[in-house]
Amino acid sequence: MNHFAYIRERVIATLASLSDEGTIPSSLDTSRVTVEPPRDPEHGDVATNAAMVLAKQAGLKPRDLAGMISAGLSEEAEIAEVDVAGPGFINIHLADPFWWDRLRDILSAGTAYGDSEMGSGHAINVEYVSANPTGPMHVGHGRGAVVGDALAALLSKAGYEVTKEYYINDAGAQVDTLARSLYLRYREAHGEDIGEVPDGLYPGEYLIDAAAQLKEMDGGKWLEAAEEEWLEPVRRFAVKSMMALIRQDLAALGVAHNQFSSERALVKAGGVDGVLEALTDRDLIYTGVL
């Protein structure tokens, strides 16, 4: 139960009773009536602005209308105390049995407690982490993983059909640099003294293990090959190897994506061109300046 929504229903019911008695006009517009936490928790469990937003329609002073509403609410078994504060705010203390019943609700519902149908029928794609596959995750990626996964979980809780996507950025120059960096370590794995890693390549020691795996898989196949021969297969292996490290870290965080999408595959299939054409047709593309 959403206790704010429930108490709002009781407030509206009290207004309806006052209207039936002829104390206030009928057909008041209650759309602006809210029930929220009070600014100071000591003032009550919930507070309502009903008297403040309805006084003019009712032809009454806010505090006078608040007194009428408070009298009606005081008869509710779930309400222990009602106070009128300031110009006409109504602070409400809920009775202990009300909270005991909410505990029973929680225990009965288990992990389904709080489920909502708010997003029923709506699909949402949450794309998060999506670190470039050029090395292991760092703490910033981990933060994004936790925040993104929590958001996806909340949307699922609210009834949305959620897809959790990791977009693999494997189409840019950075993955060519990764392949060349791995190839250097591959030569090192075969006993070559590579010296200092040249500027522009990735110096990370994580590539040493990946190079050993490449050597185990392909032996010396690429040692004498020209770059145009080894670049694509080494790049493919490098991305796969780095994504394995990233998946391990995500698993350690308890984060599981539904879908891993390759930018390279999307570009190759013409997906990017198709999106650009569609956005251009809708006049959603513009040339900006920094």
Side-chain angles (χ1 to χ4, degrees):
M1 174 196 290
N2 181 325
H3 65 280
F4 297 109
Y6 176 77
I7 297 302
R8 186 181 187 278
E9 291 175 2
R10 304 322 305 148
V11 171
I12 302 302
T14 298
L15 290 166
S17 296
L18 291 172
S19 176
D20 291 341
E21 295 169 2
T23 307
I24 61 174
S26 59
S27 303
L28 295 180
D29 180 5
T30 60
S31 60
R32 294 169 57 209
V33 173
T34 62
V35 173
E36 301 173 322
R39 291 183 180 178
D40 186 344
E42 293 186 1
H43 292 166
D45 298 307
V46 296
T48 179
N49 65 349
M52 301 289 293
V53 299
L54 296 176
K56 185 174 182 179
Q57 294 182 57
L60 296 166
K61 295 178 180 179
R63 281 192 67 90
D64 291 342
L65 179 56
M68 297 176 187
I69 296 172
S70 297
L73 290 174
S74 296
E75 297 176 5
E76 299 283 345
E78 297 91 346
I79 295 175
E81 183 181 348
V82 186
D83 297 312
V84 178
F89 287 105
I90 302 172
N91 294 320
I92 302 168
H93 293 263
L94 299 173
D96 287 343
F98 176 86
W99 297 116
W100 298 338
D101 286 342
R102 301 295 72 73
L103 290 174
R104 293 186 184 96
D105 291 343
I106 293 170
L107 292 172
S108 175
T111 57
Y113 182 76
D115 283 2
S116 166
E117 296 300 320
M118 179 191 303
S120 180
H122 297 280
I124 288 185
N125 184 77
V126 182
E127 182 256 313
Y128 59 107
V129 185
S130 299
N132 286 347
T134 54
M137 288 171 54
H138 57 58
V139 68
H141 300 141
R143 178 184 61 186
V146 172
V147 172
D149 215 53
L151 175 60
L154 286 170
L155 289 168
S156 295
K157 190 76 170 171
Y160 292 92
E161 182 183 339
V162 177
T163 297
K164 300 188 293 182
E165 181 183 22
Y166 187 116
Y167 186 71
I168 305 172
N169 299 287
D170 57 354
Q174 77 278 0
V175 289
D176 286 344
T177 300
L178 174 68
R180 294 186 178 102
S181 303
L182 177 58
Y183 183 73
L184 186 67
R185 293 294 190 180
Y186 169 73
R187 284 163 37 202
E188 182 182 45
H190 280 86
E192 182 177 334
D193 182 4
I194 63 172
E196 293 291 325
V197 175
D199 289 342
L201 297 185
Y202 297 118
E205 293 187 359
Y206 54 84
L207 290 174
I208 295 175
D209 288 340
Q213 294 168 18
L214 180 60
K215 175 185 176 183
E216 182 179 353
M217 182 177 74
D218 287 348
K221 178 178 180 180
W222 307 114
L223 288 175
E224 303 301 327
E227 181 176 291
E228 57 265 26
E229 296 179 54
W230 61 254
L231 183 61
E232 170 58 26
V234 171
R235 178 176 57 207
R236 189 166 55 246
F237 178 85
V239 170
K240 182 179 179 181
S241 179
M242 294 305 101
M243 285 306 302
L245 292 177
I246 291 171
R247 287 173 187 262
Q248 288 173 11
D249 287 339
L250 291 173
L253 282 170
V255 173
H257 288 81
N258 303 116
Q259 182 169 320
F260 286 80
S261 301
S262 164
E263 179 185 8
R264 181 173 293 275
L266 180 64
V267 170
K268 187 175 181 180
V272 173
D273 293 336
V275 169
L276 288 174
E277 290 174 6
L279 292 175
T280 301
D281 291 342
R282 296 171 63 183
D283 196 27
L284 294 174
I285 298 293
Y286 66 95
T287 300
V289 294
L290 294 176

